[in-house]
Amino acid sequence: DSGVTQTPKHLITATGQRVTLRCSPRSGDLSVYWYQQSLDQGLQFLIQYYNGEERAKGNILERFSAQQFPDLHSELNLSSLELGDSALYFCASSLGTITYNEQFFGPGTRLTVL
Amino acid sequence: AQSVAQPEDQVNVAEGNPLTVKCTYSVSGNPYLFWYVQYPNRGLQFLLKYITGDNLVKGSYGFEAEFNKSQTSFHLKKPSALVSDSALYFCAVRDGSGGSYIPTFGRGTSLIVHP
C-alpha cells in the first residue's frame, strides 16, 4: 500500500458528461501529480501541484482541470468527455519537488466513457 | 530535454533464469533514474533509483540496476526470476542538473516469467 488513495476506483459515464476524480496524497507529501495511462499513449503526465499551487503542466487538455486543496488532497475534473478519454487515471505524490524523490502512486481510477 | 527508451515491449524468461529489462536515457545534465513496477490493476510501485555513487543499485524484491554512463543505460536485472515477477516495468528519468521536475517515463516493458 503506497499510502495514496484515489476514488472512485471505477467510473462509467457517457460522452459529453463531466466527472471528478479525487486523490489523497501520502501523509506529509506536498506534491501531487496526475497521469493518464492508455494502451496507445502509455503513461502521460497531465499536471503537478505543490502545496496548493500549480507547478508543472504536461499534456493536459483544456477540457481537463485540476486543483489541490488546503488539506493537500487533489481533484481532477474532466468535462465534455469523449470516447478517447477512456483510460486509467493515476495520482502520485512525493515529498516535495526535489528531482531525486521517487513518486508514490495510487491504485488509479478506471474511466470508461460510453 | 529528457527522454527514455525501453526498446523491448515484452521480455520472456523462464523461472529461475536471470532477467534483464533494458532502458536507455537522454538528458542534458546528470540523470536521476528510476524503475517502477506495475502489477495488473494496480498503480506503479517504486523499485529503485540511481542518483549518484555506486553504479550498481539494489532495490526491492531482489532487483538491481546497473548505471552505465558511457552507454546511457540503466538496465534492470534480477539473478533468478520468479513467476510473481511477471508485470509491467517502467523506467523513468529526471534531469538532476535542473530543468523539469517531472520525470519522463518509458512506454513500459511487459515481463513474462514462465514456470
Side-chain angles (χ1 to χ4, degrees), chain B residues 12-33:
Chain B
N12 291 278
V13 64
E15 187 174 31
N17 283 0
L19 69 88
T20 298
V21 182
K22 295 180 181 176
C23 171
T24 59
Y25 67 89
S26 175
V27 293
S28 303
N30 295 320
Y32 293 156
L33 294 153

Side-chain angles (χ1 to χ4, degrees), chain A residues 1 7 14 16 21 30 38 42 46 50 52 69 74-75 81 89 91 96:
Chain A
D1 183 5
T7 56
L21 313 183
L30 299 178
S38 60
L46 296 177
Y50 174 74
F69 294 87
S74 178
E75 292 181 357
L81 285 167
Y89 290 84
C91 166

Side-chain angles (χ1 to χ4, degrees), chain B residues 50-89:
Chain B
Y50 171 83
I51 303 171
T52 187
D54 195 348
N55 289 344
L56 188 63
V57 179
K58 294 190 183 297
S60 307
Y61 312 122
F63 283 94
E64 58 190 27
E66 187 169 10
F67 171 66
N68 187 317
K69 187 173 183 177
S70 62
Q71 295 186 6
T72 62
S73 67
F74 189 56
H75 300 332
L76 181 70
K77 301 182 180 186
K78 188 174 182 181
S80 178
L82 299 172
V83 172
S84 57
D85 292 330
S86 299
L88 192 57
Y89 290 81

Side-chain angles (χ1 to χ4, degrees), chain B residues 37-59:
Chain B
V37 59
Q38 184 180 25
Y39 298 102
N41 301 313
R42 303 284 294 275
L44 277 70
Q45 185 177 332
F46 170 73
L47 274 180
L48 51 80
K49 66 181 176 184
Y50 171 83
I51 303 171
T52 187
D54 195 348
N55 289 344
L56 188 63
V57 179
K58 294 190 183 297

Side-chain angles (χ1 to χ4, degrees), chain A residues 26-31 33 50 93-98 101-104:
Chain A
R26 226 172 41 125
S27 178
D29 284 356
L30 299 178
S31 272
Y33 311 76
Y50 174 74
S93 72
S94 67
L95 190 57
T97 58
I98 297 174
N101 282 342
E102 60 269 30
Q103 294 171 304
F104 295 86

